[in-house]
Amino acid sequence: MPTLALLGDVMLGRGVAAALRHLRPQQMWGDVLPHLLDADLRIANLECALTRHARPWTRSWKPYHFRAAPAAVRFLQAARIDACTLANNHVLDFGAPGLRDTLAALDAAGIRHAGAGRDLEAASAPAFVDLPGAGRVALIACTDNQPDFAATAHAPGTHYLPAIPDAATLAHVARTIEQARAAGADWVVFSNHRGANFVERPEPDARRFARRVIELGADVYHGHSAHLCQGIEIHRGRPILYDTGDFIDDYAVDPVLRNDRSCLFKVRFADGRLQRIELIPVTLRLARVALAHGEDFDAIAERMTRLCAEFGTPLVRGVHALHWEASA
């Protein structure tokens, strides 16, 4: 498998939607764009609805509702995003009509999606991307956020799954991965929007769950939701990215935790083995992402080196990035 680029939350609504009216699609990605384009596969968590439907979700109280016009999909196309995870707590912010519009916009743009759909079968189904020379990649997406967004056998919604290592949950994960393999997947990426906001470390149950996902056959665990990058663990030769943070947003910045400091994560396999993980530090501004420099780079490097070391994953600092390399 060539290089896989994994992004955290991409939120195109609210203040971002207003800013995008004055930007060309490539401008949103700034000098990070070449690092995205030189990957072979790009996956992002789309943290909003793409819809003009104006009536927000009303079945339960929500403080924030995020949407962008369907035409905003061209900003995803500019970075050649191949697939989006939709299992999160904002994809139904404008109800079933907003979800249907989102699915239609992504389909029209040729962007695969997983984690939400017209019913539970569709929401839990993997998305497939074929990579010439590297095989078929399956993306499975689920969330433990917003249980009232959950799809049912007869209603649209998300692939809701508590991220706990109990027997029923793990049996569901095993079936989903087995179905992906049976459909021809050579590689399985398990993407999970889970946990509380603004925490630097996954809780013990989350660690046990992620390890079991790898043991059940996933090749990559791609976490997001905390708005902060968390550490990386290598389990049975496979990467667990506990949280990939934010990537595009208009969020208020915590002055201590600095959710405006994040990373682009790039994972490379060779001959079936995990070869390299590269972390490219980035800084976030309204509707823009940029390569981190100076104090920002130093702070991100220090935090990620420390958090990864807690999982026994040593990072080597370079001029523009951090990396982990498999031993020979």
Side-chain angles (χ1 to χ4, degrees):
M1 183 179 180
T3 301
L4 168 62
L6 295 162
L7 290 67
D9 296 353
V10 173
M11 199 288 283
L12 303 178
R14 205 169 56 182
V16 177
L20 295 187
R21 292 197 290 267
H22 308 287
L23 293 178
R24 296 190 304 276
Q26 292 83 358
Q27 288 179 298
M28 186 175 80
W29 308 101
D31 55 2
V32 181
L33 187 59
H35 296 274
L36 287 164
L37 298 184
D38 73 2
D40 299 287
L41 179 67
R42 291 151 289 269
I43 297 173
N45 177 52
L46 181 61
E47 189 84 345
C48 66
L50 300 177
T51 183
R52 293 192 180 279
H53 183 70
R55 185 181 180 188
W57 174 268
T58 57
R59 282 170 44 192
S60 59
W61 180 82
K62 278 188 109 271
Y64 306 113
H65 299 85
F66 299 150
R67 67 171 177 151
V73 75
R74 70 187 190 278
F75 286 84
L76 302 177
Q77 290 176 301
R80 298 183 194 165
I81 300 299
D82 296 281
C84 288
T85 69
L86 302 179
N88 57 58
N89 54 311
H90 287 290
V91 74
L92 264 80
D93 277 358
F94 289 83
L99 173 59
R100 286 194 294 269
D101 290 345
T102 304
L103 300 176
L106 294 172
D107 287 341
I111 298 174
R112 306 289 193 270
H113 48 80
R118 64 184 181 278
D119 54 29
L120 181 56
E121 182 180 3
S124 58
F128 292 94
V129 181
D130 292 317
L131 293 180
R136 199 175 201 206
V137 180
L139 171 64
I140 298 169
C142 63
T143 182
D144 71 352
N145 285 197
Q146 202 76 33
D148 47 0
F149 276 12
T152 69
H154 305 291
T158 60
H159 182 197
Y160 176 77
L161 191 69
I164 53 176
D166 65 12
T169 300
L170 295 175
H172 175 80
V173 171
R175 284 194 303 273
T176 306
I177 294 174
E178 288 167 4
Q179 289 166 1
R181 297 290 186 189
D186 300 291
W187 304 90
V188 174
V189 177
F190 189 93
S191 193
N192 194 5
H193 196 73
R194 55 141 300 277
N197 293 345
F198 294 102
V199 291
E200 283 193 308
R201 296 168 178 83
E203 65 274 19
D205 261 359
R207 291 190 62 183
R208 286 191 284 270
F209 178 75
R211 288 171 173 174
R212 290 294 288 129
V213 167
I214 295 295
E215 291 165 9
L216 290 169
D219 295 291
V220 179
Y221 180 96
H222 170 219
H224 34 87
S225 180
H227 300 300
L228 300 172
C229 295
Q230 296 178 349
I232 299 170
E233 183 171 6
I234 310 300
H235 183 62
R236 296 194 176 182
R238 295 294 190 256
I240 299 174
L241 313 181
Y242 280 107
D243 205 294
T244 47
D246 292 337
F247 213 76
I248 297 290
D249 64 46
D250 68 347
Y251 303 152
V253 176
D254 185 289
V256 176
L257 294 173
R258 294 300 300 269
N259 48 299
D260 61 334
R261 291 171 171 166
S262 191
C263 289
L264 170 64
F265 294 79
K266 300 176 81 171
V267 177
R268 182 174 179 83
F269 286 87
D271 299 321
R273 285 184 69 241
L274 176 63
Q275 181 184 60
R276 180 183 176 91
I277 304 173
E278 187 176 18
L279 284 67
I280 301 172
V282 299
T283 55
L284 314 183
R285 302 293 182 263
L286 173 62
R288 292 176 183 258
V289 61
L291 296 177
H293 299 284
E295 179 184 346
D296 287 325
F297 183 95
D298 292 341
I300 296 167
E302 186 281 326
R303 180 164 71 183
M304 294 310 298
T305 299
R306 170 171 45 85
L307 293 175
C308 289
E310 293 176 8
F311 295 118
T313 308
L315 296 182
V316 176
R317 177 172 171 168
V319 177
H320 303 296
L322 312 167
H323 73 269
W324 171 91
E325 201 92 30
S327 55

